[in-house]
Amino acid sequence: MGLLDALFGKKKLKSASLDRLFALPTARVTLEVECGLVPAGAAAVVFKPMSTSEFARAESETEQLLDAAAAESGSKLERRTDGYGYVWVIVHDPDFEDLVTSTHVVSSELQAHGFGEQLLAAAFRFDRDERPVYLIYGYKRAAFWPFVPTGEGQERDNALELRVKGELDGVLPMEQDLSRWLALFDAPF
Amino acid sequence: MKRKAYGRSAGLSARMALTMFLLGLLYVVFFIVLVQLFNLGLGAVIVLMAALLGLQLFFSDRLALAAARAKIVERDEAPELHDMVERLSAMADLPKPRVAVIDSDVPNAFATGRSQKRAVVAVTRGLWQRLERREVEGVLAHELAHISNRDVVTMTIASFFSMVAAMLIRFSLYSSMFSGGNRDQNQLPVWAIMFIVSIVTYVLSYILIMAISRYREYAADRGAALITGQPENLMSALQKISSDMVRIPQKDLRQVAPMNAMFIVPTSWKASFGQLFATHPPLEKRIARLQEIALEMGRPVP
């Protein structure tokens, strides 16, 4: 199937897989005790909007539903478009489990409307000695990886990233292929 | 054959098609000489051809980068470009390819590499400067779609089969002429017949490979539309690139000429050699297909 699709150039985009997002709350203790990562109460779903009216409708429906859900659970929502045209739905919630649930709702709503392919990643912010450390979930990879910007230009703290990965192996589904560790230097939260 | 408003550099286009054609012809002549001089069997020749093409494939990234004088750039040299490539490859579920920049004012881009892990995406300085960010993104997505479709491997294998076919026809002719024994004085000399047959099969297979190449371009355009979700960006990029191509002096164009098959838009459009010999489909056909895809994408989900 995949080979034939590639041969005839009919390859489709891989769709998102969301289930493993829910593994994150179970890793919270490891994150805090072994890695020193304290949840910062913020996360974001990053997706690439499509230029079709159907997508715009799905997006606005998702937004309404989210606002209703957020009002109920007490999380705050923010929406931004970055310099590359990707949309960031940023969730603020002091409760870590609610935070994960809210990001799951955002992505599953988009997927329910048939736009799961457009999901790029979810990013969860943690703090470590006053510095941001992100745990990124790749929807197409169904795996997590750490992202630690040093704050100097586009540099990442690879040593810390690899240590975090080492601690989380076996606790969370971690991305083993380092060439897939997408960076999000312009994370607006 | 239709004349296009943008197909003004007819002489250049003909020169380039001729170059590519002669390059392939050199391969065929090389093997004919090998066979005649060393009396190699068909099997040995095919193995040798496979080995040569294998080498060409294995070094495709280095060869292409050197030929286009492209330089690999690290993240700190081109952070925005790296960001775009990285995100698009995540959307396409590809490992991040290496990124290279060509010091040329002609807006263009290409992808190469024997595998998805060894892939390189190269863009010219002109592409980055003359196009808007969202258009550059469309072009990058087109190149990533080439990587995703494994087009370097596909095209190498396609040319291998066409060469084997040419060899087989030549050999079968050769053996039938010597086993048939029914020769009279009026016939053309054996070498002349073989020469003509070789050329004809070569021309046919060349046309076929160009057709495959054009088909892969449509497929990559489609892939780009899916990866970005915005086919109109690639449309406007293609329009901008091809109109810029005509305005730029030919001196610049000639420098990038041998790389044509891999570029997003050939450095000039087919003219005197006709559509059969073009590596890329004409602009208006690509735009029309992208419009169809845009319609398709806008349809309600079943």
Side-chain angles (χ1 to χ4, degrees):
Chain A
M1 213 3 217
L3 186 72
L4 273 186
D5 283 348
L7 208 58
F8 293 108
K10 295 267 184 219
K11 239 175 153 179
K12 291 190 188 75
L13 275 195
K14 196 169 174 182
S15 197
S17 119
L18 311 180
D19 298 345
R20 291 187 175 171
L21 260 180
F22 282 126
L24 194 51
T26 63
R28 203 192 144 170
V29 175
T30 317
L31 282 163
E32 220 165 324
V33 177
E34 307 292 339
C35 314
L37 301 181
V38 187
V45 174
V46 193
F47 62 89
K48 192 146 184 39
M50 281 171 84
S51 54
T52 64
S53 57
E54 197 61 30
F55 186 82
R57 204 172 315 142
E59 220 190 320
S60 75
E61 272 175 38
T62 306
E63 227 168 300
Q64 284 169 16
L65 197 121
L66 281 174
D67 285 336
E72 211 171 284
S73 69
S75 30
K76 265 192 235 148
L77 287 184
E78 233 184 299
R79 213 188 106 105
R80 285 206 203 169
T81 306
D82 69 16
Y84 302 106
Y86 292 76
V87 173
W88 295 64
V89 177
I90 304 166
V91 189
H92 295 278
D93 199 316
D95 186 273
F96 191 61
E97 240 172 276
D98 284 355
L99 193 67
V100 176
T101 311
S102 296
T103 48
H104 188 271
V105 171
V106 177
S107 27
S108 65
E109 265 312 298
L110 275 178
Q111 198 177 39
H113 283 89
F115 297 107
E117 295 88 1
Q118 300 306 115
L119 287 162
L120 176 69
F124 299 86
R125 184 180 163 149
F126 295 85
D127 284 327
R128 185 177 188 277
D129 308 330
E130 314 271 302
R131 266 176 44 201
V133 170
Y134 298 92
L135 208 55
I136 297 178
Y137 179 76
Y139 286 103
K140 316 229 169 193
R141 309 294 300 162
F144 292 90
W145 60 88
F147 167 58
V148 189
T150 59
E152 287 167 38
Q154 286 213 339
E155 264 176 50
R156 45 203 294 192
D157 186 344
N158 291 126
L160 181 57
E161 286 175 349
L162 288 170
R163 225 176 72 214
V164 170
K165 182 207 171 252
E167 296 289 352
L168 291 176
D169 266 332
V171 184
L172 278 178
M174 298 302 284
E175 175 60 62
Q176 301 298 325
D177 180 356
L178 302 193
S179 69
R180 309 271 187 164
W181 284 17
L182 172 77
L184 295 168
F185 283 103
D186 56 345
F189 68 101
Chain B
M1 196 181 70
K2 289 175 286 179
R3 291 285 303 184
K4 298 286 152 21
Y6 44 75
R8 260 172 246 144
S9 46
L12 180 68
S13 184
R15 265 204 308 283
M16 257 155 14
L18 195 68
T19 312
M20 278 176 72
F21 183 79
L22 289 178
L23 212 70
L25 204 61
L26 197 71
Y27 251 96
V28 173
V29 170
F30 173 63
F31 281 107
I32 290 177
V33 169
L34 266 188
V35 172
Q36 303 293 21
L37 281 188
F38 300 103
N39 219 4
L40 284 177
L42 181 61
V45 170
I46 289 177
V47 167
L48 210 65
M49 271 197 296
L52 260 181
L53 282 170
L55 275 179
Q56 201 180 307
L57 182 63
F58 190 82
F59 291 110
S60 57
D61 48 345
R62 264 170 274 182
L63 282 173
L65 288 177
R69 279 186 229 139
K71 215 177 110 258
I72 299 274
V73 288
E74 295 305 327
R75 189 156 203 134
D76 52 340
E77 294 171 82
E80 267 188 286
L81 187 58
H82 269 268
D83 270 348
M84 279 165 96
V85 170
E86 195 173 62
R87 287 185 189 193
L88 289 171
S89 30
M91 292 297 290
D93 194 29
L94 287 170
K96 185 188 172 193
R98 285 167 293 158
V99 179
V101 171
I102 306 162
D103 191 28
S104 158
D105 211 28
V106 187
N108 225 329
F110 72 85
T112 181
R114 62 179 183 269
S115 69
Q116 295 184 343
K117 286 206 176 271
R118 295 283 307 168
V120 189
V121 173
V123 300
T124 60
R125 204 170 19 76
L127 186 90
W128 189 250
Q129 284 165 355
R130 284 167 195 250
L131 267 60
E132 280 170 44
R133 291 293 169 266
R134 51 183 193 86
E135 291 167 336
V136 173
E137 198 179 45
V139 172
L140 289 173
H142 171 99
E143 299 308 332
L144 288 174
H146 272 310
I147 297 172
S148 175
N149 291 339
R150 297 170 205 275
D151 279 348
V152 174
V153 182
T154 313
M155 292 311 291
T156 310
I157 293 176
S159 54
F160 172 67
F161 282 131
S162 87
M163 283 185 184
V164 170
M167 280 290 146
L168 281 176
I169 290 172
R170 225 188 63 81
F171 262 80
S172 58
L173 196 84
Y174 192 84
S175 51
S176 73
M177 265 185 307
F178 284 102
S179 59
N182 188 22
R183 288 190 289 154
D184 58 58
Q185 294 298 314
N186 293 335
Q187 255 181 330
L188 276 167
V190 175
W191 66 265
I193 293 177
M194 284 201 300
F195 186 72
I196 292 165
V197 168
S198 298
I199 302 293
V200 168
T201 33
Y202 176 65
V203 170
L204 288 180
S205 61
Y206 185 81
I207 290 175
L208 194 72
I209 287 177
M210 291 302 112
I212 298 174
S213 164
R214 290 194 298 274
Y215 180 72
R216 312 297 297 176
E217 288 307 318
Y218 285 130
D221 283 350
R222 183 189 178 80
L226 292 180
I227 293 170
T228 58
Q230 291 153 348
E232 70 278 7
N233 292 353
L234 182 58
M235 283 190 232
S236 67
L238 287 176
Q239 254 150 356
K240 237 183 218 179
I241 292 174
S242 46
S243 61
D244 266 348
M245 292 279 171
V246 181
R247 279 205 296 275
I248 292 163
Q250 293 206 351
K251 210 174 171 196
D252 248 337
L253 288 170
R254 234 170 291 152
Q255 289 171 355
V256 281
M259 300 295 304
N260 249 356
M262 278 171 291
F263 278 121
I264 180 154
V265 167
T267 48
S268 88
W269 293 89
K270 43 84 218 179
S272 48
F273 263 78
Q275 239 164 293
L276 274 181
F277 290 93
T279 53
H280 286 58
L283 175 70
E284 62 268 48
K285 279 198 187 165
R286 289 175 78 177
I287 303 276
R289 292 249 183 139
L290 279 166
Q291 252 147 8
E292 276 169 37
I293 294 165
L295 273 177
E296 217 176 282
M297 280 172 34
R299 247 177 242 157
V301 194

